[in-house]
């Protein structure tokens, strides 16, 4: 009862400060429409010198900050002690793919100067796209310290015939390069890049962390296809399906009840449900069960500040799933907005060629098996998070919390993981430690 009262007192809106140039704000605001909890407080800068004052004004008004790119974020970070969580949209995601593609189209890109973007990020894109950047010149200094030096770097290489195009993470540099007649591309983020950053920002807020304890009620309904016929009602098949459903709910650290031989009800919490589904992106149950037994599985999950509200929303979500033909999952939130359909995914798999051999050997020596590493890579790439509690890691790795703590001790000693911060326990007890995997940061899009 106390939990219900607490959840009813939580604010439903989160004020987010958005700082960026005019050219990027329409896309950011459009993407924000998919995050109804966020109410944006926007600041537009034309010159990066304005960022300091805008950030200082916003910090007292918002719960979290989002910068349009790494440069405005670094400017604010260098000049201010940020009093709220702050995030930026990276220039190494799908926006970088797009910029390199356009640059290659414009200039056949045999040689190019680059600032504000890491060599590793650029080379990874070349490898994945099957492109070849034979002569790439990277600015070695700090771009924020001198715009004149960065501009001079690009111009000198262009005038000396060493390069015929430029790639930049700065809108101002891009404008100046165009004035000098140098073909260039400003790495602008895509909607996908912005979505990932907004997801991280959402997870960082106090309001959001409160909602992690929110009640989630779900319904799972099974229908047999014509092909399955009476086979579905054989005891051994029914037992296997029953076990698969209960194993899925166990991964949610939830409770499950059989309503009848075709329907189930499960209860869990929002934070765990979000982690297991990769941020409401996929369900690893319906596709596998449906493929093996020729059945349709409809899943509806409901969020609410009370069990009654969550149950009602779960019923609405289930009707949406059935109306869509089954083998699908919908979520209805406390404000009756709908998430879905969630992808019906196969078991987690990972192409281990994405991980270099040196890292594999270091991980194995520290007790991190290729299977553990594979599961971590899949989770990080899907969720955009590199920080987890021991409990979340136990779910991801499908091991006990005790075993997870033992492995974390080994990984800490080997430098594969570090303690990011601690979260104070709601009651008496030791604070919960949050662990970061810095070597997986490059997987975050």
């Amino acid at each position: 009862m106390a939990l219900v009262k607490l959840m009813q007192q939580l604010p439903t809106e989160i004020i987010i400060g958005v700082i960026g140039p005019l050219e990027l704000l329409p896309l950011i605001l459009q993407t924000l429409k998919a995050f109804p909890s966020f109410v944006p407080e926007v600041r537009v800068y034309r010159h990066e010198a304005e960022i300091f004052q805008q950030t200082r004004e916003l910090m007292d008004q918002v719960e979290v900050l989002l910068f349009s790119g790494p440069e405005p974020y670094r400017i604010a970070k260098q000049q201010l002690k940020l009093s709220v969580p702050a995030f930026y949209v990276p220039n190494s995601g799908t926006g970088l793919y797009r910029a390199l593609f356009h640059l290659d189209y414009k200039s056949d890109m045999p040689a190019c100067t680059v600032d504000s973007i890491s060599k590793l990020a650029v080379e990874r894109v070349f490898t994945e796209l099957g492109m070849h950047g034979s002569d790439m010149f990277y600015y070695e200094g700090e771009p924020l310290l001198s715009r004149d030096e960065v501009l001079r770097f690009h111009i000198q290489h262009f005038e000396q015939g060493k390069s015929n195009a430029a790639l930049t993470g700065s809108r101002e540099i891009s404008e100046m390069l165009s004035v000098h007649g140098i073909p260039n591309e400003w790495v602008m983020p895509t909607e996908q890049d912005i979505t990932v950053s907004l997801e991280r920002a959402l997870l960082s807020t106090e309001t959001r962390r409160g909602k992690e304890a929110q009640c989630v009620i779900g319904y799972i309904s099974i229908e047999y296809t014509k092909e399955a016929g009476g086979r579905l009602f054989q005891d051994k098949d029914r037992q296997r399906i029953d076990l698969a459903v209960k194993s899925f709910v166990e991964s949610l650290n939830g409770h499950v009840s059989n309503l009848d031989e075709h329907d189930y009800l499960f209860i869990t919490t929002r934070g765990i449900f979000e982690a297991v589904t990769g941020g409401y992106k996929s369900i690893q149950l319906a596709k596998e069960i449906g493929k093996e037994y020729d059945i349709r599985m409809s899943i509806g999950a409901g969020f609410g500040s009370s069990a009654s509200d969550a149950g009602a929303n779960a019923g609405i979500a289930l009707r949406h799933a059935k109306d869509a033909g089954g083998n699908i999952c919908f979520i209805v939130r406390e404000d009756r907005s709908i998430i879905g359909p969630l992808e019906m995914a196969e078991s987690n798999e990972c192409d281990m060629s994405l991980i270099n051999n040196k890292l594999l050997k270091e991980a194995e020596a520290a007790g991190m098996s290729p299977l553990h590493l594979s599961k971590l890579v899949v989770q990080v790439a899907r969720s955009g998070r590199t920080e987890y509690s021991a409990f979340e890691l136990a779910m991801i790795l499908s091991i006990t919390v005790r075993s997870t703590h033992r492995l974390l001790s080994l990984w800490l000693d080997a430098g594969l993981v570090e303690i990011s911060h601690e979260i104070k326990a709601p009651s008496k007890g030791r604070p919960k430690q949050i662990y970061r995997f810095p070597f997986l940061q490059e997987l975050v899009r």
Side-chain angles (χ1 to χ4, degrees):
M1 196 68 183
L3 176 61
V4 171
K5 289 182 179 178
L6 172 64
M7 295 310 303
Q8 288 174 337
Q9 292 170 0
L10 285 171
T12 58
E13 295 180 340
I14 303 169
I15 301 177
I16 180 171
V18 180
I19 300 175
L22 183 62
E23 294 88 344
L24 287 182
L25 288 177
L27 180 59
I28 294 176
L29 293 176
Q30 177 63 34
T31 309
L32 269 165
K33 291 180 179 179
F35 295 80
S37 297
F38 276 141
V39 176
E41 186 69 33
V42 178
R43 294 292 184 274
V44 179
Y45 68 82
R46 187 61 194 168
H47 301 289
E48 290 172 349
E50 301 165 4
I51 293 170
F52 167 78
Q53 185 62 32
Q54 292 175 342
T55 305
R56 189 166 65 175
E57 290 174 0
L58 280 177
M59 281 195 301
D60 296 332
Q61 305 174 32
V62 303
E63 193 169 341
V64 63
L65 285 166
L66 179 72
F67 294 90
S68 62
E71 291 207 34
Y73 170 79
R74 288 172 190 159
I75 290 172
K77 193 88 169 171
Q78 285 175 353
Q79 300 182 34
L80 287 167
K81 183 177 181 180
L82 301 178
S83 58
V84 295
F87 298 84
Y88 63 85
V89 182
N91 58 15
S92 58
T94 53
L96 178 57
Y97 285 72
R98 181 177 61 187
L100 285 170
F101 179 82
H102 288 169
L103 206 55
D104 184 54
Y105 180 80
K106 285 180 180 177
S107 60
D108 196 23
M109 206 171 56
C112 182
T113 47
V114 183
D115 75 67
S116 308
I117 301 150
S118 72
K119 181 178 181 181
L120 178 63
V122 174
E123 289 183 343
R124 182 178 62 194
V125 175
F126 280 138
T127 300
E128 293 179 358
L129 294 182
M131 296 169 60
H132 180 61
S134 58
D135 296 308
M136 304 295 290
F137 302 95
Y138 296 86
Y139 180 72
E140 300 293 341
E142 172 53 63
L144 297 179
L145 296 181
S146 174
R147 293 283 173 223
D148 292 339
E149 285 186 13
V150 178
L151 184 61
R152 192 179 308 118
F153 161 76
H154 288 294
I155 292 173
Q156 285 179 348
H157 281 75
F158 183 77
E159 290 180 344
Q160 293 170 8
K162 294 180 180 179
S163 70
N164 64 349
L167 187 69
T168 178
S170 167
R171 175 187 54 79
E172 290 186 27
I173 292 293
S174 176
E175 290 176 349
M176 289 186 278
L177 289 170
S178 296
V179 170
H180 284 81
I182 300 176
N184 71 89
E185 277 292 322
W186 168 34
V187 181
M188 295 179 62
T190 63
E191 185 173 341
Q192 179 182 340
D193 298 330
I194 297 168
T195 297
V196 170
S197 298
L198 287 171
E199 287 174 347
R200 291 188 214 164
L202 183 61
L203 290 169
S204 75
T205 62
E206 290 292 337
T207 301
R208 176 62 193 181
R209 284 197 288 270
K211 283 190 175 183
E212 288 189 352
Q214 194 176 38
C215 178
V216 174
I217 290 181
Y219 292 114
I220 300 173
S221 181
I222 295 172
E223 300 174 278
Y224 65 90
T225 63
K226 291 181 180 179
E227 291 77 10
R231 185 171 67 83
L232 179 65
F233 294 98
Q234 294 179 14
D235 286 342
K236 64 176 182 179
D237 289 337
R238 196 161 53 237
Q239 289 170 1
R240 288 177 182 174
I241 294 169
D242 188 67
L243 179 62
V245 170
K246 290 179 178 178
S247 296
F248 167 70
V249 177
E250 185 179 323
S251 74
L252 297 171
N253 198 35
H255 171 77
V256 62
S257 298
N258 294 71
L259 300 178
D260 54 42
E261 62 181 10
H262 303 301
D263 299 289
Y264 301 81
L265 178 147
F266 67 87
I267 303 172
T268 184
T269 58
R270 187 165 177 169
I272 296 174
F273 188 74
E274 181 175 63
V276 172
T277 60
Y280 316 135
K281 292 182 177 67
S282 64
I283 292 282
Q284 296 178 13
L285 172 66
K287 191 167 186 177
E288 295 175 0
I289 295 297
K291 187 183 293 184
E292 184 174 357
Y293 292 102
D294 292 322
I295 60 176
R296 286 189 297 272
M297 183 174 290
S298 301
I299 305 174
F303 300 164
S305 57
S306 68
S308 175
D309 290 344
N313 290 338
I316 296 170
L318 182 65
R319 287 196 293 274
H320 278 286
K322 287 187 172 183
D323 290 345
N327 283 340
I328 210 164
C329 174
F330 280 94
I331 301 169
V332 174
R333 290 186 282 201
E334 61 272 31
D335 60 0
R336 292 293 172 94
S337 62
I338 298 173
I339 302 174
L342 276 67
E343 176 189 358
M344 297 297 126
E346 303 282 4
S347 295
N348 285 353
E349 295 178 355
C350 173
D351 181 0
M352 296 304 286
S353 65
L354 295 174
I355 307 166
N356 65 58
N357 290 329
K358 181 182 178 183
L359 177 57
L360 278 172
K361 290 178 181 178
E362 290 176 356
E364 190 172 355
M368 185 182 290
S369 68
L371 178 60
H372 291 157
L373 190 55
S374 173
K375 289 183 176 182
L376 280 170
V377 167
V378 169
Q379 179 65 27
V380 171
R382 176 178 291 162
S383 68
R385 292 173 56 202
T386 58
E387 296 185 2
Y388 300 91
S389 68
F391 182 77
E392 289 174 319
L393 289 169
M395 291 191 297
I396 293 166
L397 301 176
S398 301
I399 58 177
T400 65
V401 175
R402 184 176 180 180
S403 296
T404 302
H405 279 295
R406 179 179 59 80
L407 289 174
L408 282 168
S409 179
L410 295 172
W411 299 345
L412 281 165
D413 290 342
L416 291 175
V417 66
E418 59 191 29
I419 297 174
S420 170
H421 59 281
E422 293 184 341
I423 298 176
K424 187 177 180 182
S427 57
K428 291 183 179 179
R430 290 186 299 175
K432 180 170 65 174
Q433 292 181 322
I434 303 299
Y435 300 88
R436 178 190 294 122
F437 293 84
F439 70 91
L440 295 178
Q441 184 62 42
E442 284 298 322
L443 293 171
V444 175
R445 290 282 191 253

